[in-house]
């Protein structure tokens, strides 16, 4: 009878320890999931900020094109290349907006932004400066301002992506990340 009592007590002790470990694992998993979700949300908010800036930038480039047309600027390969680069950026931004954590979409957006910068440089070198209204900022200076804002927004995106990527790469959280479909953030 005594050995039965000891077996029963030992079984209860180990059962309690197992339940306690299981409870700790569940609490850890919930906390880790919330941390991953919070970091992903910070990245998505940074992407939304970059997206808003790029939308304003692309609208400004449409304004530039309209000013070219009003000024009677000739159709030239550089101008057409700039229009094509703007259209490509609009398209790739729309795809990246749907899946900001999809590496291929963000990589395509990055390439489109580089092509846009190259097209602008070529366009700016080949055409005379357009007249700007009194008190308005010249086009080249406005481009530089947009570039600076874009660099700042991309840096904010990078700063949000680094801790998110580090969190989903850590071992215990990596299991949750793969289980719940958290993907590595692509940095522009």
């Amino acid at each position: 009878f005594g050995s039965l009592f000891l077996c029963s007590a030992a079984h209860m002790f180990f059962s309690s320890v197992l339940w306690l470990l299981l409870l700790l694992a569940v609490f850890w998993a919930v906390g880790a999931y919330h941390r991953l979700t919070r970091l992903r949300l910070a990245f998505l908010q940074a992407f939304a900020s970059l997206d808003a800036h790029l939308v304003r930038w692309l609208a400004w480039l449409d304004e530039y094109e309209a000013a070219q047309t009003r000024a009677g600027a000739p159709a030239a390969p550089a101008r057409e290349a700039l229009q094509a680069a703007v259209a490509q950026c609009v398209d790739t931004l729309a795809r990246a907006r749907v899946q900001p954590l999809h590496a291929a979409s963000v990589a395509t957006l990055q390439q489109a932004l580089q092509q846009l910068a190259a097209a602008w440089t070529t366009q700016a070198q080949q055409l005379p400066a357009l007249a700007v209204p009194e008190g308005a900022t010249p086009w080249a200076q406005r481009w530089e301002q947009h570039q600076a804002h874009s660099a700042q927004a991309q840096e904010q995106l990078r700063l949000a992506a680094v801790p998110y990527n580090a969190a989903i790469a850590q071992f215990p959280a990596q299991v949750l990340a793969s289980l719940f479909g958290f993907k590595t953030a692509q940095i522009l």
Side-chain angles (χ1 to χ4, degrees):
F1 181 72
S3 66
L4 182 62
F5 176 73
L6 286 177
C7 255
S8 178
H11 177 70
M12 285 178 49
F13 174 75
F14 288 120
S15 178
S16 297
V17 168
L18 287 176
W19 277 109
L20 182 62
L21 290 175
L22 181 62
L23 189 61
L24 286 173
V26 167
F27 281 133
W28 171 84
V30 169
Y33 177 79
H34 284 292
R35 179 173 179 251
L36 291 174
T37 302
R38 185 175 29 84
L39 290 170
R40 180 174 58 184
L41 179 61
F43 174 80
L44 294 175
Q45 288 173 336
F47 185 85
S49 176
L50 175 64
D51 178 37
H53 166 72
L54 292 177
V55 166
R56 285 190 305 271
W57 191 18
L58 293 170
W60 174 80
L61 286 167
D62 284 341
E63 179 186 331
Y64 174 79
E65 176 56 31
Q68 290 270 341
T69 302
R70 283 191 306 273
R79 185 173 170 195
E80 292 169 1
L82 181 62
Q83 290 171 342
V86 168
Q88 182 183 13
C89 277
V90 168
D91 182 50
T92 58
L93 180 59
R95 279 189 258 132
R97 185 180 299 129
V98 172
Q99 295 180 327
L101 290 170
H102 189 253
S105 297
V106 176
T108 304
L109 175 61
Q110 184 176 19
Q111 289 174 343
L113 291 173
Q114 290 170 350
Q115 290 173 351
L116 178 62
W120 170 266
T121 301
T122 303
Q123 168 76 1
Q125 291 171 351
Q126 291 186 1
L127 292 177
L130 289 176
V132 293
E134 183 76 26
T137 307
W139 293 107
Q141 191 175 2
R142 289 174 67 187
W143 171 266
E144 292 302 322
Q145 290 169 349
H146 279 286
Q147 286 288 81
H149 289 289
S150 180
Q152 182 181 14
Q154 288 179 23
E155 178 64 13
Q156 291 300 317
L157 185 66
R158 188 191 68 74
L159 289 174
V162 168
Y164 170 74
N165 287 341
I168 65 172
Q170 294 172 346
F171 167 65
Q174 188 178 31
V175 174
L176 284 176
S178 63
L179 184 65
F180 290 107
F182 287 85
K183 298 179 186 207
T184 303
Q186 178 76 21
I187 300 173
L188 284 177

